[in-house]
Amino acid sequence: MPSAFRRAVEGLRAVRLRPEIEADPTRPPQRLAPYAYALEAAVMDGEDELADGRLVLLHDPAGHDAWKGTFRLVTLVRAELEPEMAADPLLPEVCWSWLTGAFEARGLAYEEASGTVTMAGSHYFGGLAERAPATQIEIRASWTPREGAGGVPDTGTHLAAWCDLLCQVAGLPPSPPESPKGPGAGTTSGAGVVSLPQRRGPQQQ
């Protein structure tokens, strides 16, 4: 394992998360890059799951033309919305701005950001007709983190910014920032953000 990738993974593992966030390592994709690390996270309100997501760190020591770097972060974030929020035609643009705003709030440098924001509605019939209509929002994105000393990006702060996005989508208010105790060691909160006012978590498959 290259030293730069090992240090980048250590940066992810060093982050202290908000108590509402439960996160665990998971099996990473095998064919996207020579080295990969992934984690899954969910925002919980007691027994209720408000939002969930996956963050993958990719590394190609030889570099990648499309990435314009040797590291790439890939994410999926999703949550179920209340009907009044799902009706807002500007919601996709707002959700994308939450991702870029989370980076800016933490002073992160990044390149080649791309992604999609998708809303999908479900209506139930027959034996499921008693269920209320549901709309899920899904954010898929990837970006190249700026590499620092030794060619290692500040993955901890990128994870913290990603958790800010996850909490916003879940409808949690931002928590006050704390003084970091190392790269990426601050809380997963952002300042000056507006959260999505919903409390319905993704349905379990």
Side-chain angles (χ1 to χ4, degrees), residues 94 97-98 164-165 167-169 171-174 190-197:
V94 171
S97 73
W98 286 344
D164 292 340
L165 170 68
C167 289
Q168 282 184 273
V169 172
L172 295 187
V193 296
V194 179
S195 301
L196 187 66

Side-chain angles (χ1 to χ4, degrees), residues 75 77 91-117 139-144 157-158 160-166 168-169 190-193:
T75 187
V77 171
L91 187 60
E93 288 82 357
V94 171
C95 288
W96 182 257
S97 73
W98 286 344
L99 175 64
T100 58
F103 296 152
E104 294 169 2
R106 292 186 176 272
L108 288 169
Y110 64 96
E111 298 178 287
E112 301 301 317
S114 61
T116 62
V117 178
I139 304 171
R140 294 179 180 268
S142 62
W143 64 95
T144 298
T157 304
H158 279 274
W162 179 75
C163 287
D164 292 340
L165 170 68
L166 193 64
Q168 282 184 273
V169 172
V193 296

Side-chain angles (χ1 to χ4, degrees), residues 5 23 54 131 160:
F5 180 69
R54 191 178 195 220
R131 291 190 183 183

Side-chain angles (χ1 to χ4, degrees), residues 3-204:
S3 173
F5 180 69
R6 184 179 65 253
R7 291 167 60 192
V9 171
E10 289 172 351
L12 293 174
R13 292 173 174 169
V15 176
R16 292 182 293 112
L17 304 177
R18 285 178 61 157
E20 299 93 341
I21 297 178
E22 297 180 0
D24 292 291
T26 188
R27 181 178 176 83
Q30 301 298 306
R31 299 182 180 180
L32 297 181
Y35 302 93
Y37 178 84
L39 59 85
E40 291 179 334
V43 180
M44 305 300 295
D45 180 15
E47 302 260 333
D48 297 328
E49 184 178 288
L50 305 181
D52 66 354
R54 191 178 195 220
L55 184 68
V56 180
L57 174 68
L58 305 175
H59 178 54
D60 187 341
H64 196 292
D65 291 341
W67 301 353
K68 292 184 168 50
T70 63
F71 285 90
R72 188 75 171 171
L73 285 161
V74 182
T75 187
L76 164 67
V77 171
R78 58 191 177 187
E80 195 169 320
L81 306 177
E82 296 295 347
E84 60 271 18
M85 292 303 302
D88 186 350
L90 296 179
L91 187 60
E93 288 82 357
V94 171
C95 288
W96 182 257
S97 73
W98 286 344
L99 175 64
T100 58
F103 296 152
E104 294 169 2
R106 292 186 176 272
L108 288 169
Y110 64 96
E111 298 178 287
E112 301 301 317
S114 61
T116 62
V117 178
T118 305
M119 290 193 297
S122 299
H123 296 262
Y124 302 96
F125 302 93
L128 301 177
E130 294 183 357
R131 291 190 183 183
T135 301
Q136 187 179 77
I137 193 162
E138 183 178 275
I139 304 171
R140 294 179 180 268
S142 62
W143 64 95
T144 298
R146 181 74 55 84
E147 296 174 12
V152 182
D154 186 358
T155 52
T157 304
H158 279 274
L159 172 57
W162 179 75
C163 287
D164 292 340
L165 170 68
L166 193 64
C167 289
Q168 282 184 273
V169 172
L172 295 187
S175 61
E178 295 179 5
S179 300
K181 302 185 184 303
T187 63
T188 58
S189 65
V193 296
V194 179
S195 301
L196 187 66
Q198 58 82 39
R199 282 294 183 272
R200 183 185 298 169
Q203 293 182 351
Q204 300 299 318

